[in-house]
């Protein structure tokens, strides 16, 4: 009986669609770039540890902490990219930017490479791909972009909205 009643009501209720469970409508590619730069920074810190003259124990502890943070930041890049790619980039966005799927996939692979090893080039590639993603994202929102150098290490160029 309850099923019959709900079925009748359901036919009179308009369908609502939302990108998330809230829905908030807030998407910003700067978070992806932030995590990519943070990943690169952790790589730089790790690569510079051998020159610090740390004791064996201090070195091991620092490597463990920075490796955990590097991997967390790289995973955050992947997570935030998946949210924007999966929830925001659809329909007309994908028609105008057919390379979105391939770019998101490249970011996933680059994020994994940063987690798996310790090569600065991997971190630089991740930042580069995230900058491409950011340019695409802001283009989809109709916002012009600019390139700025981060005022903190690793002092790399990032794409920002020209607000």
């Amino acid at each position: 009986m309850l099923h019959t009643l709900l079925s009748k009501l359901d036919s009179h209720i308009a369908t609502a669609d939302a990108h998330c469970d809230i829905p908030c409508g807030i998407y910003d590619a700067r978070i992806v770039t932030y995590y990519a730069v943070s990943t690169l920074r952790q790589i730089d810190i790790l690569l510079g540890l051998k020159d610090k003259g740390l004791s064996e124990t201090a070195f091991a502890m620092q490597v463990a902490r920075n490796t955990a943070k590097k991997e967390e930041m790289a995973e955050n890049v992947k997570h935030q990219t998946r949210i924007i790619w999966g929830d925001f980039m659809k329909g007309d966005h994908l028609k105008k930017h057919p390379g979105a799927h391939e770019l998101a996939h490249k970011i996933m692979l680059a994020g994994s490479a940063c987690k798996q090893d310790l090569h600065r080039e991997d971190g630089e590639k991740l930042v580069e791909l995230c900058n491409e993603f950011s340019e695409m994202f802001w283009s989809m929102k109709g916002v012009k972009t600019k390139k700025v150098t981060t005022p903190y290490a690793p002092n790399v160029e990032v794409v920002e909205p020209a607000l």
Side-chain angles (χ1 to χ4, degrees):
M1 182 168 112
L2 183 59
H3 180 269
T4 304
L5 177 62
L6 291 176
S7 296
K8 288 181 182 181
L9 285 174
D10 190 40
S11 65
H12 297 292
I13 298 173
T15 301
D17 293 314
H19 71 89
C20 67
D21 296 335
I22 294 175
C24 69
I26 299 172
Y27 296 104
D28 194 325
R30 289 177 288 190
I31 191 73
V32 174
T33 307
Y34 168 81
Y35 285 130
V37 171
S38 296
T39 301
L40 178 58
R41 178 66 180 138
Q42 292 303 317
I43 291 170
D44 286 348
I45 289 170
L46 284 160
L47 290 172
L49 283 178
K50 64 183 173 215
D51 302 327
K52 295 276 187 195
L54 299 171
S55 70
E56 197 173 298
T57 302
F59 179 80
M61 291 172 62
Q62 195 68 43
V63 167
R65 283 194 299 270
N66 289 101
T67 299
K69 187 54 72 175
K70 170 187 68 95
E71 293 185 8
E72 176 188 344
M73 295 297 101
E75 186 57 40
N76 285 343
V77 169
K78 294 170 63 170
H79 176 74
Q80 294 299 328
T81 299
R82 281 190 300 267
I83 289 171
I84 292 171
W85 174 50
D87 293 349
F88 174 75
M89 294 182 175
K90 50 188 161 189
D92 287 342
H93 296 148
L94 296 175
K95 288 178 186 170
K96 292 177 185 172
H97 300 277
H101 296 309
E102 182 180 354
L103 181 56
H105 186 247
K106 286 180 180 180
I107 291 170
M108 298 302 135
L109 295 175
S112 292
C114 288
K115 291 172 64 176
Q116 294 164 355
D117 217 323
L118 191 60
H119 301 293
R120 190 172 206 282
E121 301 79 30
D122 291 337
E124 291 171 331
K125 183 67 174 176
L126 183 62
V127 171
E128 176 187 318
L129 290 168
C130 290
N131 277 334
E132 287 180 43
F133 187 80
S134 187
E135 285 177 343
M136 181 184 296
F137 170 82
W138 291 112
S139 172
M140 289 176 180
K141 288 190 144 273
V143 176
K144 292 182 182 190
T145 59
K146 61 183 178 180
K147 292 184 178 182
V148 298
T149 300
T150 58
Y152 42 79
N155 303 104
V156 293
E157 198 171 68
V158 294
V159 172
E160 293 280 328
L163 302 175

